[in-house]
Each structure stands twice: as structure tokens, then as C-alpha cells.
Amino acid sequence: GACLVRALWGQALSIGESGNAGQLKSLLQRALAIQERACSPDQRTIAEILDSIAGAYGKICDYEQQKSLLQRALAIQERALPSNHPEIAATLDSLARVFFAAWRL
């Protein structure tokens, strides 16, 4: 469970630095599936993984998928955190960047 998720996430972070978005998405989606089975849907870890997967989609300019994942992460954060929490602000900033990038296409 948690150890496998941490291992997958660690692998994904090292891949993220090398730029292989396909491999990164695969590892993160596997980690997300494990985490979703093991935890409540409002767990912040799920929001963090969603944010990481969204970043992988951003690398390949799939802004619709990126936006969808960030919106899911934001919904979890808004239920789990106070409204002025920095994680919520960071996700809102990421969403604004996605909207701007998609608009520029």
C-alpha cells in the first residue's frame, strides 16, 4: 500500500526530471489507483498525486486533461483544508496557468 505508493512516486519524480512524460504518467496513475483504493477520497495525498499527474500532462500540452486533474485536486483540497491554505493557492495558480496556456494555442 503506502510503501508501494511512495516507491512509485519516488520513481515518478526521478523520471519527471528526465522528461519522459509517458512513463511519468503511467507510474503516477498506478500510484493514484493504489492510493484511491487504500484511502478516503478526500485524502490530501490523492490531491498531491493528481497535481503531479497534471504536471505530466502539461509537459505534453494536454491542457484539457491537465485542467480536469487540477480541478479534482482542488475539490479535494477545498474539502480537506482551510480556504486560505497555500496548497489551494498553488493549485489555483496552476489552473490559471493551464487556462492561459490553452488560450494561447
Side-chain angles (χ1 to χ4, degrees), residues 35 38-48 76-77 79-80:
Q35 193 70 18
C39 300
S40 77
D42 288 342
Q43 177 120 12
R44 284 176 51 194
T45 305
I46 292 174
E48 292 170 9
I76 292 168
Q77 291 168 336
R79 287 190 300 268

Side-chain angles (χ1 to χ4, degrees), residues 35-82:
Q35 193 70 18
E36 285 178 325
R37 282 193 303 271
C39 300
S40 77
D42 288 342
Q43 177 120 12
R44 284 176 51 194
T45 305
I46 292 174
E48 292 170 9
I49 295 171
L50 288 167
D51 184 72
S52 295
I53 298 170
Y57 277 100
K59 286 186 175 190
I60 59 169
C61 301
D62 187 341
Y63 300 122
E64 282 302 311
Q65 190 64 30
Q66 187 182 24
K67 180 179 76 172
S68 174
L69 291 163
L70 287 170
Q71 287 171 329
R72 281 181 60 196
L74 181 62
I76 292 168
Q77 291 168 336
E78 287 176 333
R79 287 190 300 268
L81 300 168

Side-chain angles (χ1 to χ4, degrees), residues 15-32:
I15 288 170
E17 294 169 5
S18 69
N20 186 334
Q23 206 174 9
L24 175 64
K25 287 187 314 187
S26 176
L27 286 170
L28 289 169
Q29 286 171 334
R30 191 166 160 216
L32 177 63

